[in-house]
Amino acid sequence: MQSLEAELEEARQLAVDDLADAIESIGFECTRCGACCKGHGEDEHTATVFPDEVRDLEASAAQRAADNRVARDSESPSDRVSGSSSREQTVEPRDSEGHEGEYDWRDVARPMPYGLSETDDGDLEGETFEWALQTDSCGDCTFYEEDEDGTGACAAHDDRPLICRTYPFSVALAGTSQPMGEAVGEEGVVRAHECEGLGRDIAREDAEDLARALKERAVRELEEAIAVRETYEPAPPDPGEVVVHDSEGAKRIDGTPLDD
């Protein structure tokens, strides 16, 4: 198998036009069905997020909440009674703590559960190597909302992480073991995952935008993996605790460095 460094160099050499050709050959249009944002059965929604993406989402969620508070405070009494304020048109992330605009790392991200074990109390403990987007009590992404007609919406759409920007596509390089998804295009580098939006017409410009994000994600994932490997130091957590190793070092579940 190729080294991570060799895969990274291969990812950096990916041609956006070739990736766009593959995407265009199968076609894609988001139908806002929400399937990629929801948990399924007992399986919670799991989407990898980079540390800097967590901070960006944290900042944007806090800003949206602050803007909504200002809008609410400026409502007239008649707006409050009629419920006709603009606040109702703003999608806000749901969170299990019922926060009123005070967001922190844990409202955005949680330790990736893979590799963790469950305690007798039902909590998780152990070491893991990635962050996942936080979920709500239904197991859905905390930023996912649904209209009354079932149409999905993302409260953090403009700041959504790369894994969300590129779904349902991924890149499988030569050194990738057991690549997921169906190969798309002549080279088979692009993989398409199950999604009802596949097979729909896509404009070339949109295919190129998606291809650029797909290349960026492939590069970032490998850079993250290499940094985790280089910074990793065994840090057995105390019973009932979780340690997350990312490219910035070992962290607690609230995103603070373990050595603080």
Side-chain angles (χ1 to χ4, degrees), residues 4-27:
L4 290 175
E5 286 78 9
E7 280 199 70
L8 175 57
E9 183 58 31
E10 188 176 350
R12 287 171 173 164
Q13 296 303 317
L14 289 170
V16 170
D17 282 345
D18 291 344
L19 299 178
D21 287 344
I23 293 169
E24 198 173 25
S25 71
I26 187 172

Side-chain angles (χ1 to χ4, degrees), residues 40-253:
H40 299 279
E42 294 183 357
D43 296 326
E44 291 185 306
H45 174 264
T46 305
T48 307
V49 60
F50 300 121
D52 62 302
E53 292 178 325
V54 177
R55 286 188 287 269
D56 289 343
L57 285 165
E58 183 183 347
S60 62
Q63 184 60 55
R64 282 194 302 275
D67 292 343
N68 290 336
R69 286 200 303 276
V70 171
R72 183 182 62 230
D73 293 343
S74 65
E75 290 174 8
S76 67
S78 59
D79 282 338
R80 294 192 183 99
V81 171
S82 65
S84 60
S85 72
S86 61
R87 180 169 61 98
E88 290 191 344
Q89 306 303 317
T90 303
V91 178
E92 297 184 51
R94 296 174 292 186
D95 61 78
S96 59
E97 302 300 327
H99 291 161
E100 188 67 20
E102 296 299 327
Y103 292 92
D104 68 16
W105 186 283
R106 289 164 294 183
D107 298 311
V108 175
R110 63 191 177 100
M112 187 67 76
Y114 307 134
L116 301 179
S117 58
E118 192 170 307
T119 67
D120 293 338
D121 296 329
D123 297 324
L124 295 177
E125 64 179 4
E127 292 180 283
T128 188
F129 296 87
E130 291 177 306
W131 295 98
L133 286 173
Q134 186 58 273
T135 54
D136 62 16
S137 59
C138 298
D140 301 338
C141 175
T142 191
F143 293 102
Y144 178 70
E145 291 286 354
E146 249 180 29
D147 296 337
E148 291 183 0
D149 63 359
T151 301
C154 175
H157 189 268
D158 292 342
D159 302 291
R160 67 197 187 281
L162 282 167
I163 195 167
C164 302
R165 293 179 183 274
T166 54
Y167 193 85
F169 299 102
S170 62
V171 166
L173 301 173
T176 305
S177 63
Q178 299 178 336
M180 303 293 289
E182 297 295 326
V184 177
E186 295 181 2
E187 301 298 325
V189 174
V190 175
R191 300 279 169 154
H193 304 259
E194 184 176 353
C195 177
E196 70 173 34
L198 291 171
R200 298 169 181 262
D201 291 339
I202 185 171
R204 180 65 186 189
E205 181 180 359
D206 292 336
E208 290 175 351
D209 287 344
L210 209 166
R212 279 188 283 271
L214 196 57
K215 177 178 179 177
E216 181 183 358
R217 174 184 160 195
V219 171
R220 288 290 311 276
E221 286 176 342
L222 288 161
E223 289 176 338
E224 180 78 10
I226 290 170
V228 169
R229 183 193 63 192
E230 292 177 347
T231 60
Y232 175 73
E233 293 183 5
D238 294 331
E241 293 188 348
V242 172
V243 172
V244 182
H245 298 272
D246 63 27
S247 57
E248 299 171 350
K251 292 176 180 172
R252 303 181 183 89
I253 62 171

